[in-house]
Amino acid sequence: MRLLLRANAHRQVDGGCREVAAAPDTPRREPWQWQVRLLAAGHGPSTAPQPGARRIAEPLPDGAVLEVTADPAAVRPGVEVVDPGAGTTLERAEGDVVVLVSSGGRLLVEGRHLLADADAMVLAGADDPLSVDVRRPDGAGTAGAPDSPDARLAVIRLSPAGDRALSWVP
């Protein structure tokens, strides 16, 4: 299931924190597995949903922090921030959930999905592509403003820790 999540749709939690995606997306509906949050500059870590959760914090070019928290019994999380330059190809395993978050500018995914700053795309399951191309858009941005050469892409890879499939319900 491929889903584009605009920055203004991220859920506000813990004060200066926005939840981009989580499993489950509705607390207490099913066992918690993982969450991806954007913390405002200067904001401390968000509240961990359970003791022993693994937390990865990755600073972003705009001063915000990308925080990934996961249940280590269910999920092996990984985070990297890449400079897509003129283009890069990202690969994922079929069982992985991959969350792409634009930071510091606009990025084009698959030549058709334009991500503005803090927008996200979630790729999961067999129906979504296992390989996607990401690049900075050519030419001028919205209303003639140039696109930022500082745009980066945060790539969050969530792999199953055991033989259970990862869940994600938008």
Side-chain angles (χ1 to χ4, degrees), residues 68-157:
V68 178
T69 311
D71 174 357
V75 181
R76 288 188 328 265
V79 177
E80 66 177 314
V81 178
V82 298
D83 179 354
T88 190
T89 300
L90 302 170
E91 307 283 336
R92 73 173 181 93
E94 189 173 312
D96 290 355
V97 174
V98 173
V99 183
L100 308 174
V101 181
S102 178
S103 175
R106 298 169 359 128
L107 296 171
L108 193 60
V109 180
E110 298 182 295
R112 61 188 174 136
H113 302 290
L114 188 62
L115 301 183
D117 189 43
D119 285 352
M121 178 175 281
V122 180
L123 303 167
D127 292 341
D128 283 353
L130 299 177
S131 174
V132 293
D133 293 320
V134 180
R135 64 177 173 83
R136 289 192 189 100
D138 296 328
T142 304
D147 287 310
S148 172
D150 298 328
R152 299 292 182 269
L153 181 70
V155 181
I156 300 97
R157 296 179 193 278

Side-chain angles (χ1 to χ4, degrees), residues 14 17 32 35 37 39 43-50 55 67 69:
D14 287 346
C17 178
W32 176 82
Q35 65 193 29
R37 292 181 171 182
L39 310 180
H43 190 279
S46 64
T47 305
Q50 71 182 35
R55 176 179 280 130
E67 180 187 73
T69 311

